């Protein structure tokens, strides 16, 4: 009996402390010490980070190993996003993902290139069969890089379950040195309704943080009344680098009782956009700071909450003193506390913001259509999280939809009737959004159907019609016309487009399609002579680049090789 009891207690505490995921199944994808430039669940632009960003010594070309045996189930090459990426499906159902890689290992590289030449496209997505590309734990599958939407050399590494949900890879036993406590950069308090107030104000308040010697924080005592909530900006640094990464867990306690827990163990790609409901989106747009709210407002479908009492809100009564505590933990268990003393004090709030009103109300449960002259805006049901009065006006071709500081969870459509334009004009006209203090014309992906130009967007703000009359540019980087290039490994060109950006490019040598890798960050097109397309002595290179309205430029040069 005693044995059974011991076993029960042991099992319970074991599952609580340890991961439910296999601990020794996956090895590290790199053979260097793991240093992170990004953690799982980290708050990014419109999404939670779905893996670990592993530093690669500021270099490209490091070996990437199969973390466990399995088969390569997906390969994707794209200009943006993960750049070149390899997915391995393992027999236990998990899928590992390796992104931003420079190139694949020889066997995989040959497999991919054959398909690229067959499809005549650099961008490609492949789903190899079970037996095509089998890998054993420890095989080199690729070399690390900086392709796609990557801001510096690193490996993006993910582990997904059999339903494609990313899981925190650290839960599988990968080790990262971290003895440093999370850092708190700001704390804000929010009066939630008209009657509530903080320090006598009905507006959001930034609280003064007092760092303590032990790494914890105090916040200056505050008075409050009614329904309130808090938000914080916190980061975590690990031991071997200065990178500001995301924290693992945030817990709040109200008068000693757990009030809310947010933790980053797992999420689904379907919910990742709702990051914009977790953060104070307007604050992010105004201040470029991501505050994570420690309360759950309506229409927030995120799954990473736990221990929820009153959706994380606090009700403060007159004359009653309260203690609110925020506990922030990194994956290694280093903990930082913030203590906030709140004294209940009912008084008339001093400043109250008059809510914006207009004749145009967006009710999220309904479709909304705004139409004036030649411009139509269609918001599908549930485009936004809240109902609101929209600041809407039209002046000739300029459409004003108010400040772009409200998160949209769906695309809405803006269409312009362009029947007044000549077919010749229409070739170069696009829908632009005015961005920044200098009203930069930012191309909004524009399509045309009969006499209508339309764009699908999640951005409010100001739109107009603009015209792109400038053709793309193409310049050779490492060669000149009529040059001997016998010893050259690569042909390099620089391509650019001023207004709407590059839509597509096509390169041929003696009429045969060649694979040119496009790097949008360096604006380069690179051909590798080892693809063995060139067999003649005299060769003609032809490159055509087209921008997003269809302006195109053709570059031609001849070269010799023996
Ligand atoms: Zn990443």
């Amino acid at each position: 009996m005693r044995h059974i009891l011991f076993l029960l207690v042991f099992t319970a505490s074991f599952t609580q402390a340890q991961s439910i995921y296999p601990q020794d199944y996956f090895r590290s994808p790199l053979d260097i010490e793991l240093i992170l430039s990004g953690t799982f669940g980290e708050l990014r632009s419109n999404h939670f980070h779905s893996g670990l960003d592993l530093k690669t010594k500021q270099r490209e070309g490091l070996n990437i190993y199969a973390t466990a045996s399995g088969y390569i189930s997906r390969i994707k090459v794209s200009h943006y996003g993960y750049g070149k990426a390899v997915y391995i499906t393992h027999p236990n159902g998990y899928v590992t993902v390796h992104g931003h890689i420079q190139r694949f290992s020889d066997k995989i590289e040959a497999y991919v290139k054959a398909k690229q030449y067959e499809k005549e496209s650099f961008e490609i997505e492949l789903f190899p069969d079970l037996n095509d590309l089998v890998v054993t734990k420890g095989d080199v599958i690729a070399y690390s890089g900086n392709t796609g939407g990557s801001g510096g050399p690193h490996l993006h590494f993910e582990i997904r379950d059999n339903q494609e949900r990313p899981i925190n890879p650290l839960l599988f036993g990968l080790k990262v040195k971290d003895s440093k406590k999370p850092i708190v950069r700001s704390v804000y308090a929010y009066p939630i309704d008209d009657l509530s107030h903080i320090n006598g104000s009905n507006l959001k308040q930034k609280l003064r943080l007092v760092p303590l010697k032990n790494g914890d924080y105090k916040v200056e005592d505050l008075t409050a009344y009614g329904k309130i909530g808090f938000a914080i900006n916190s980061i975590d640094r690990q031991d071997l680098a200065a990178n500001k990464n995301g924290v693992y867990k945030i817990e709040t306690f109200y008068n000693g009782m757990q009030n809310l827990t947010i933790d980053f163990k797992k999420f689904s790609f379907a919910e990742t956009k709702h990051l914009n409901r977790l953060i104070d989106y307007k604050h992010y747009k105004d201040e470029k700071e991501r505050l994570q709210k420690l309360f759950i407002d309506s229409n927030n479908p995120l799954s990473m909450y736990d221990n929820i009492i009153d959706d994380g809100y606090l009700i403060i009564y007159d004359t009653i003193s309260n203690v609110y505590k925020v506990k922030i933990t990194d994956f290694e268990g280093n903990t930082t506390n913030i203590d906030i003393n709140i004294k209940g004090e009912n008084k008339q709030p001093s400043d109250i913001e008059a809510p914006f009103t207009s004749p145009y109300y967006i009710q999220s449960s309904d479709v909304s259509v705004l139409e004036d002259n030649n411009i139509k805006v269609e918001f599908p049901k549930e485009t936004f999280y809240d109902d609101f009065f929209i600041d809407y006006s039209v002046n000739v071709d300029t459409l004003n939809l108010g400040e772009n500081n409200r998160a949209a969870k769906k695309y809405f459509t803006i269409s312009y009737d362009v029947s007044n334009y000549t077919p010749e004009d229409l070739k170069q006209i696009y829908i632009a959004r005015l961005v920044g203090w200098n009203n930069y014309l930012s191309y909004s992906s524009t399509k045309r159907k009969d006499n209508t130009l339309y764009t699908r967007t999640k951005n409010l703000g100001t739109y107009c019609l603009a015209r792109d009359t400038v053709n793309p540019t193409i310049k050779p980087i490492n060669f000149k016309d009529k040059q001997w290039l016998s010893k050259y490994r690569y042909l390099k060109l620089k391509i650019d487009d001023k207004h709407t950006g590059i839509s597509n490019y096509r390169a041929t040598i003696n009429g045969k399609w060649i694979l040119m890798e496009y790097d949008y960050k360096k604006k380069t097109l690179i051909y590798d002579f080892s693809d063995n397309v060139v067999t003649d002595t005299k060769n003609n290179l032809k490159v055509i680049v087209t921008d997003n309205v269809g302006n195109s430029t053709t570059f031609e040069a001849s070269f010799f090789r023996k």
Side-chain angles (χ1 to χ4, degrees):
M1 184 61 197
R2 196 181 285 164
H3 280 110
I4 294 170
L5 201 67
F6 170 77
L7 205 72
L8 276 174
V9 171
F10 178 77
T11 319
S13 61
F14 181 80
T15 45
Q16 218 167 31
Q18 294 297 314
S19 174
I20 55 166
Y21 304 104
Q23 293 302 291
D24 296 313
Y25 190 83
F26 296 108
R27 56 154 284 169
S28 164
L30 299 173
D31 56 10
I32 55 170
E33 172 136 36
L34 295 186
I35 306 176
L36 304 182
S37 57
T39 47
F40 183 86
E42 195 167 280
L43 313 178
R44 299 274 178 96
S45 176
N46 302 317
H47 70 286
F48 296 96
H49 191 230
S50 51
L52 299 177
D53 283 344
L54 305 173
K55 289 171 76 99
T56 52
K57 302 183 162 182
Q58 273 100 45
R59 290 197 275 121
E60 298 188 24
L62 270 58
N63 288 348
I64 300 171
Y65 299 92
T67 53
S69 297
Y71 75 100
I72 295 186
S73 50
R74 184 178 173 196
I75 298 167
K76 195 168 178 188
V77 177
S78 50
H79 297 140
Y80 309 104
Y82 290 173
K84 295 185 190 178
V86 186
Y87 298 66
I88 303 175
T89 298
H90 303 280
N92 62 356
Y94 292 106
V95 176
T96 50
V97 184
H98 317 74
H100 309 305
I101 65 175
Q102 180 193 53
R103 67 197 153 93
F104 308 104
S105 66
D106 291 349
K107 187 181 168 191
I108 304 170
E109 186 82 11
Y111 180 93
V112 174
K113 278 214 169 164
K115 303 282 184 188
Q116 286 172 315
Y117 272 94
E118 195 181 300
K119 212 192 143 200
E120 301 198 341
S121 172
F122 170 54
E123 288 197 303
I124 201 160
E125 184 170 20
L126 304 168
F127 297 92
D129 285 334
L130 205 66
N131 299 314
D132 286 354
L133 297 166
V134 175
V135 295
T136 302
K137 186 171 186 168
D139 284 356
V140 174
I141 50 162
Y143 303 93
S144 70
N146 187 32
T147 53
S150 166
H154 75 278
L155 170 64
H156 173 92
F157 178 68
E158 274 178 34
I159 301 179
R160 297 182 184 176
D161 68 10
N162 58 7
Q163 290 168 65
E164 287 282 317
R165 285 176 301 205
I167 304 163
N168 192 331
L170 295 176
L171 290 166
F172 292 81
L174 294 175
K175 284 279 169 275
V176 174
K177 281 203 185 98
D178 186 1
S179 61
K180 295 181 182 174
K181 291 173 157 216
I183 293 169
V184 179
R185 300 203 290 192
S186 55
V187 179
Y188 282 76
Y190 295 69
I192 300 299
D193 55 36
D194 293 350
L195 295 173
S196 51
H197 53 83
I198 288 151
N199 290 338
S201 167
N202 188 240
L203 307 178
K204 171 174 97 181
Q205 297 292 308
K206 182 171 185 167
L207 305 178
R208 199 166 66 84
L209 264 175
V210 184
L212 304 177
K213 279 210 174 73
N214 65 357
D216 288 342
Y217 297 84
K218 266 192 69 70
V219 164
E220 65 181 329
D221 291 356
L222 56 122
T223 65
Y225 181 75
K227 188 176 182 182
I228 66 166
F230 290 86
I232 61 167
N233 175 353
S234 61
I235 55 144
D236 187 47
R237 285 198 178 94
Q238 282 83 40
D239 284 358
L240 300 164
N243 296 73
K244 300 181 193 91
N245 297 329
V247 304
Y248 179 57
K249 188 168 27 166
I250 302 174
E251 295 161 279
T252 69
F253 301 85
Y254 182 35
N255 293 330
M257 302 275 287
Q258 265 205 314
N259 199 43
L260 185 73
T261 301
I262 305 170
D263 66 10
F264 294 106
K265 290 195 177 87
K266 181 167 87 172
F267 60 84
S268 71
F269 286 106
E271 67 179 302
T272 194
K273 65 183 173 187
H274 300 299
L275 163 105
N276 289 334
R277 195 57 167 164
L278 168 79
I279 63 168
D280 180 336
Y281 190 78
K282 183 179 184 309
H283 185 89
Y284 169 61
K285 284 301 209 181
D286 294 344
E287 313 283 333
K288 299 285 162 271
E289 179 190 29
R290 291 190 181 96
L291 289 177
Q292 62 186 299
K293 293 181 274 191
L294 304 178
F295 52 88
I296 308 172
D297 30 25
S298 58
N299 303 316
N300 178 339
L302 291 170
S303 66
M304 51 278 278
Y305 297 109
D306 215 341
N307 305 313
I308 308 166
I309 306 290
D310 295 335
D311 286 332
Y313 294 111
L314 282 56
I315 310 289
I316 309 293
Y317 296 98
D318 196 16
T319 71
I320 308 286
S321 291
N322 306 275
V323 181
Y324 184 67
K325 193 184 175 98
V326 184
K327 185 176 164 190
I328 306 152
T329 311
D330 64 23
F331 193 84
E332 285 303 310
N334 303 301
T335 296
T336 297
N337 296 294
I338 314 171
D339 284 320
I340 307 174
N341 295 318
I342 310 163
K343 178 127 187 349
E345 192 179 300
N346 189 10
K347 54 183 170 188
Q348 192 60 34
S350 57
D351 37 11
I352 296 177
E353 205 166 18
F356 175 83
T357 59
S358 84
Y360 309 100
Y361 192 66
I362 304 294
Q363 188 138 15
S364 71
S365 58
D366 284 330
V367 175
S368 304
V369 179
L370 302 170
E371 201 168 2
D372 194 330
N373 291 327
N374 57 333
I375 307 174
K376 187 174 176 185
V377 190
E378 292 168 279
F379 299 105
K381 279 182 191 175
E382 310 286 338
T383 299
F384 301 98
Y385 293 96
D386 298 305
D387 301 343
F388 67 104
F389 286 101
I390 190 166
D391 178 10
Y392 160 75
S393 60
V394 167
N395 182 2
V396 196
D397 279 341
T398 303
L399 165 70
N400 163 46
L401 294 173
E403 292 281 316
N404 183 25
N405 58 15
R406 190 173 284 276
K409 48 183 163 167
K410 280 186 191 165
Y411 288 96
F412 56 92
T413 308
I414 299 171
S415 20
Y416 279 82
D417 180 336
V418 286
S419 22
N420 291 339
Y421 290 84
T422 66
E424 206 46 43
D425 284 341
L426 275 179
K427 279 183 187 162
Q428 295 176 318
I429 287 175
Y430 64 98
I431 300 171
R433 186 162 60 91
L434 300 173
V435 177
W437 59 272
N438 59 349
N439 281 339
Y440 169 78
L441 293 169
S442 168
Y443 171 71
S444 187
S445 181
T446 306
K447 297 211 162 57
R448 187 175 158 198
K449 195 173 178 241
D450 305 322
N451 282 325
T452 305
L453 285 185
Y454 65 95
T455 185
R456 294 176 73 240
T457 178
K458 285 184 179 176
N459 292 298
L460 294 173
T462 307
Y463 289 83
C464 67
L465 290 181
R467 192 163 175 175
D468 179 0
T469 57
V470 184
N471 290 341
T473 54
I474 309 174
K475 287 186 189 108
I477 294 174
N478 67 339
F479 67 97
K480 290 195 186 82
D481 192 22
K482 301 187 176 68
Q483 196 179 339
W484 277 90
L485 303 176
S486 302
K487 296 216 167 71
Y488 277 52
R489 169 78 193 265
Y490 300 105
L491 268 182
K492 295 186 189 177
L493 296 145
K494 186 156 217 149
I495 63 171
D496 203 359
D497 185 71
K498 202 168 175 188
H499 296 298
T500 53
I502 289 160
S503 153
N504 61 71
Y505 53 88
R506 183 180 170 84
T508 54
I509 291 176
N510 301 336
K512 274 185 279 187
W513 183 82
I514 55 164
L515 174 65
M516 291 207 94
E517 301 206 351
Y518 174 49
D519 180 336
Y520 78 94
K521 288 173 290 187
K522 293 183 183 154
K523 301 178 175 172
T524 53
L525 281 180
I526 298 181
Y527 166 67
D528 186 344
F529 278 112
S530 62
D531 287 358
N532 290 323
V533 178
V534 177
T535 48
D536 300 340
T537 306
K538 185 174 191 298
N539 299 282
N540 280 301
L541 170 71
K542 185 175 180 184
V543 182
I544 304 169
V545 178
T546 309
D547 70 16
N548 275 302
V549 296
N551 298 316
S552 90
T553 298
T554 302
F555 170 88
E556 283 187 271
S558 56
F559 64 88
F560 303 93
R561 242 173 110 86
K562 65 175 176 202

